[in-house]
Amino acid sequence: MSEERRPYQILFVCSGNSCRSPMAEGLLRLKLPQRLQDEVDVQSAGTLGIQGMAAAEYSVRVVREFGGDIGGHRSQGLSRKLVAASDLILAMAGEHVEHLRKHYPAYRENVFLLKSFAQTEPLEDPEIEDPIGSSLAIYRECGRLIADEIDRVLPAIVHLVQERRRETP
């Protein structure tokens, strides 16, 4: 696939890539308009570098309750290749943004907190807390928050993908 024809790459980032970022990946895939499914590639990764771990049981369950499936998810750590290939990087917490900007400074303009992306005003609480080790109710609350944020940012993502399409010869 030529550079011009490559999909628009969105990367969600959290710590271990077992709870928040896999939920965000699965929920965006679920909510992405059908007409854009072939034009967008969604992935997730973690700052801790954990490889091959399944998504947390409650994360899988929550995404399933929304109608998605992340049962086959396996964690991956951030890498230069993954970051460089990403057009948009949406992190769950400030520590993830700091990690990305410190280790991959050339790509800092692509890095945003999910809750702050496409916002016009600064937020009082821009982070999505890690539910690891919590109850199913906490995972559901986290999943609902991520789903709401994806619904909110989806028009901006669609706009970015369409803009890319117009720029491609």
Side-chain angles (χ1 to χ4, degrees):
M1 184 174 283
S2 70
E3 177 67 16
E4 294 84 28
R5 305 298 267 162
R6 74 175 180 83
Y8 191 88
Q9 178 75 37
I10 298 172
L11 178 66
F12 289 103
V13 176
C14 69
S15 300
N17 191 220
S18 66
C19 299
R20 293 169 288 180
S21 60
M23 282 196 283
E25 176 185 354
L27 290 169
L28 179 57
R29 284 187 178 160
L30 180 66
K31 293 171 177 283
L32 199 62
Q34 187 63 40
R35 64 183 166 39
L36 298 180
Q37 292 282 334
D38 292 339
E39 293 183 61
V40 179
D41 183 36
V42 185
Q43 293 192 50
S44 62
T47 59
L48 298 178
I50 299 168
Q51 297 292 126
M53 189 168 71
E57 176 187 348
Y58 287 162
S59 290
V60 173
R61 192 162 161 184
V62 167
V63 171
R64 190 176 299 127
E65 289 171 0
F66 278 96
D69 182 10
I70 60 169
H73 173 81
R74 293 296 175 262
S75 65
Q76 64 178 340
L78 281 173
S79 67
R80 181 164 304 285
K81 181 178 178 183
L82 193 56
V83 171
S86 298
D87 297 293
L88 177 62
I89 302 171
L90 297 171
M92 300 295 136
E95 66 188 90
H96 308 129
V97 170
E98 290 170 21
H99 178 93
L100 284 154
R101 289 181 177 166
K102 178 181 178 186
H103 294 282
Y104 308 101
Y107 306 101
R108 68 184 319 125
E109 290 182 12
N110 297 352
V111 177
F112 303 88
L113 279 170
L114 173 58
K115 285 178 69 175
S116 295
F117 180 67
Q119 291 281 14
T120 55
E121 298 290 324
L123 298 174
E124 193 173 301
D125 182 19
E127 300 194 0
I128 296 175
E129 296 297 321
D130 193 348
I132 195 160
S134 299
S135 67
L136 178 57
I138 299 296
Y139 272 82
R140 282 182 174 137
E141 184 178 315
C142 183
R144 181 200 46 76
L145 178 58
I146 291 170
D148 288 350
E149 288 301 316
I150 288 173
D151 287 341
R152 184 187 62 75
V153 302
L154 197 52
I157 290 172
V158 168
H159 175 76
L160 289 169
V161 173
Q162 289 172 333
E163 202 172 78
R164 156 76 71 74
R165 187 189 304 148
R166 281 191 294 273
E167 293 171 359
T168 303

